[in-house]
Amino acid sequence: MNRILDCIINKNTSFVPVWFMRQAGRYLPEFRKIREKNTNFIKLCLNPNLVKEITLQPIKRFDLDATIIFSDILMIPYALNQIVEFKKGSGPHLGNLELDKIINTNSNNFINKLLPVYEGIKKVKNETKDEALIGFVGAPWTLLVYMINKKSPKKDFNFNYITKDKVLVNELLKKLEETICLHINHQVKAGANIIQIFDSWAGLIPQKELFNYCFAPTSKIVKYVKSLKIPVICFPKGIGKNFKDFCSIVQPNCVSIDPEVDPKLIKKETNGIAIQGGIDPKILLEGNDQIKKTVQKYLQIFSGYPYVFNLGHGVLPETKPETIEYIIQIVRDQT
Ligand code: CP3
C-alpha cells in the first residue's frame, strides 16, 4: 500500500507523505520548454505522450509520494462543447454558454473527446505501478462558475448574477454532476487510484448557500468515488470556518486546507479525517529560514495526526525548483 493511502485510509501517522499541487507546471524549466512549443493548452492536455512526459517531470527530479496527472479541470467544459482557451497572462477564457448544446452532449461524445486524457493516464500508470496516482476533477460549483462567468471570477464576481437563472443553474449542475462522475470513472479505469476534487471558488458562496452549491453537489461526487472503492481528497478552498461542517456532511477521506485555515483549530474539528496542505505558496518565495520555520510549524502541529504534506494552493510559477527539494528534505528529516 502506498504512503498516501496508508495515511488517509489507515490513519497511519508514523510517516508524512508529501506532494505538491501544480507540481508539474511553469516553475519547472523543462515544462516551460514544452509549453513554448505547444501554445494551445487544451491540445497539450490531449497529447498522451506529452501528458506522460510532463506528469513525470517532477517525479524524476524529486522524492515525491504522489504523481498527479497533468490535465485541467476545464477539460470538462471543453468536452461539453464549450470553447475553452488559455490566453497568456490572463487565465482561462470560455466561449458562449449554449445550454442546449451542453445538455445534448451524450456520454459517448463526452468520453470520446477525453480519450487522449485516459490514454495519457495509462502511459503514466505503466511507469508508476502501485504508487499513488492522483486523478482529479473540478467540483460542480467551480466548473459552473467558469462556465457562466467565462473567465476567472477573481475580479468582479457577483453571486446573485451567476445564480439568477435558476433553470440554467439547476440543469447545468445536474449535467456537471453526471459528467464529473463519468470523467472520474474513466480516470480510475485508466489507473488513477486517488481522486482529488478541486472546489477552488467555494469561498465565493455566501454562508447560507453553502449547502446548496458546495456541500450537497460535492457529497454526490464523494459518494460516487467511494462506491468505486477509491479514496477521495476534497479541496473546498476559502470556506473558512465552515470546514467543520464540510467534513461532517461531505465525509471525504482527506480534506485539503488553504492558508486561511488555522491548522491548530482544524485538527480539532475534522473528527479524525486526514488533513492535507495549508502552507501559503507565497512562503516558498521567501528565504530558507522562513520556509523551514513554516514547514516545521505545520509538521509539529499535525504530528500524531494523519497529515499529507502539501501547500494551501498550487506552486507559484516564480518558485525555484530547489525550494521544492529543500522542503521535501525537511519533511523527510522530521518523520
Ligand atoms: O497539480 C498539478 O500538477 C496537476 C495539473 C493541474 C493543472 N490545473 C495544470 C495547469 C491541476 C490539478 C489543475 C487544476 C485547475 N485548473 C484548477 C484547480 C486548482 C486551482 O488552481 O485552484 C483551476 C481553477 C484550473 C483552471 C486553470 N487552468 C487556471 C486558473 C489556469 C492558470 C492560467 C494562467 O494563465 O495562470 C490553468 C492553466 C494551467 N493548468 C496551467 C497548468 C500547469 C498553467 C499552464 C500555462 O499557462 O503554462
Side-chain angles (χ1 to χ4, degrees):
M1 177 178 269
N2 71 60
R3 287 162 173 174
I4 296 198
L5 293 185
D6 204 19
C7 170
I8 71 179
I9 301 291
N10 295 345
K11 317 275 170 83
N12 183 349
T13 59
S14 63
F15 191 90
V16 176
V18 51
W19 70 281
F20 294 81
M21 293 189 252
R22 289 277 166 97
Q23 61 191 25
R26 281 177 296 187
Y27 76 105
L28 287 179
E30 57 271 37
F31 172 78
R32 291 198 300 270
K33 205 169 147 199
I34 293 179
R35 184 72 170 97
E36 268 163 31
K37 289 187 239 147
N38 295 271
T39 49
N40 183 324
F41 185 73
I42 295 284
K43 266 197 185 157
L44 180 57
C45 292
L46 293 171
N47 180 326
N49 287 323
L50 290 178
V51 164
K52 175 187 139 190
E53 188 175 338
I54 295 170
T55 300
L56 295 175
Q57 283 174 346
I59 308 303
K60 289 191 176 132
R61 266 187 188 253
F62 311 118
D63 174 23
L64 292 159
D65 290 306
T67 306
I68 179 161
I69 202 72
F70 174 76
S71 190
D72 201 88
I73 62 166
L74 298 178
M75 297 311 284
I76 285 189
Y78 158 79
L80 285 172
N81 292 308
Q82 187 173 13
I83 291 171
V84 180
E85 289 174 333
F86 288 85
K87 294 181 182 153
K88 217 174 178 175
S90 68
H93 288 259
L94 283 77
N96 277 344
L97 177 64
E98 296 170 58
L99 187 62
D100 286 356
K101 211 162 138 185
I102 287 168
I103 300 296
N104 290 329
T105 309
N106 68 32
S107 20
N108 279 343
N109 295 341
F110 176 84
I111 292 303
N112 276 338
K113 288 190 85 170
L114 296 177
L115 285 178
V117 174
Y118 313 129
E119 207 44 53
I121 298 178
K122 283 183 198 154
K123 284 178 187 281
V124 174
K125 185 69 179 175
N126 281 336
E127 310 273 327
T128 56
K129 308 281 181 294
D130 290 332
E131 292 158 40
L133 177 54
I134 303 175
F136 67 89
V137 289
W141 163 253
T142 286
L143 292 182
L144 180 103
V145 167
Y146 277 109
M147 291 174 84
I148 297 181
N149 203 51
K150 295 188 271 185
K151 57 178 174 13
S152 162
K154 206 179 264 172
K155 298 170 203 148
D156 64 71
F157 174 82
N158 182 326
F159 180 84
N160 293 329
Y161 169 77
I162 292 294
T163 56
K164 78 170 187 293
D165 184 343
K166 295 290 181 260
V167 175
L168 173 78
V169 165
N170 289 334
E171 290 286 313
L172 206 49
L173 281 179
K174 216 165 69 194
K175 189 71 180 179
L176 283 170
E177 285 161 13
E178 175 199 320
T179 48
I180 287 168
C181 291
L182 260 177
H183 190 38
I184 290 172
N185 183 261
H186 282 76
Q187 292 185 64
V188 169
K189 277 196 197 145
N193 52 21
I194 298 177
I195 293 292
Q196 176 150 330
I197 304 172
F198 287 92
D199 209 350
S200 307
W201 299 109
L204 298 175
I205 306 171
Q207 167 98 30
K208 65 177 192 336
E209 298 284 3
L210 264 178
F211 183 83
N212 288 337
Y213 289 97
C214 174
F215 300 172
T218 305
S219 290
K220 291 187 194 158
I221 315 292
V222 165
K223 280 205 183 83
Y224 178 74
V225 183
K226 287 186 170 178
S227 78
L228 302 175
K229 305 263 182 299
I230 295 287
V232 54
I233 305 172
C234 283
F235 183 34
K237 187 172 181 289
I239 62 167
K241 59 183 190 318
N242 299 296
F243 268 89
K244 184 180 180 185
D245 285 347
F246 181 91
C247 286
S248 65
I249 294 169
V250 180
Q251 292 285 328
N253 299 103
C254 177
V255 69
S256 209
I257 58 171
D258 63 72
E260 310 282 292
V261 175
D262 179 340
K264 279 201 189 109
L265 268 182
I266 187 93
K267 200 173 88 169
K268 297 192 195 115
E269 295 188 327
T270 37
N271 213 357
I273 289 176
I275 295 173
Q276 166 175 280
I279 292 183
D280 192 334
K282 285 196 211 84
I283 299 282
L284 277 61
L285 310 179
E286 311 238 341
N288 277 358
D289 288 350
Q290 184 61 33
I291 295 172
K292 190 171 189 174
K293 228 173 79 189
T294 313
V295 171
Q296 285 178 333
K297 180 183 116 180
Y298 276 79
L299 289 174
Q300 199 201 344
I301 290 172
F302 289 114
S303 139
Y305 194 92
Y307 180 60
V308 177
F309 191 90
N310 204 319
L311 305 179
H313 205 185
V315 179
L316 295 168
E318 304 82 15
T319 310
K320 291 203 269 304
E322 304 82 71
T323 302
I324 299 296
E325 194 163 349
Y326 179 65
I327 292 178
I328 296 170
Q329 200 50 52
I330 300 169
V331 179
R332 298 294 185 224
D333 287 348
Q334 300 277 313
T335 56

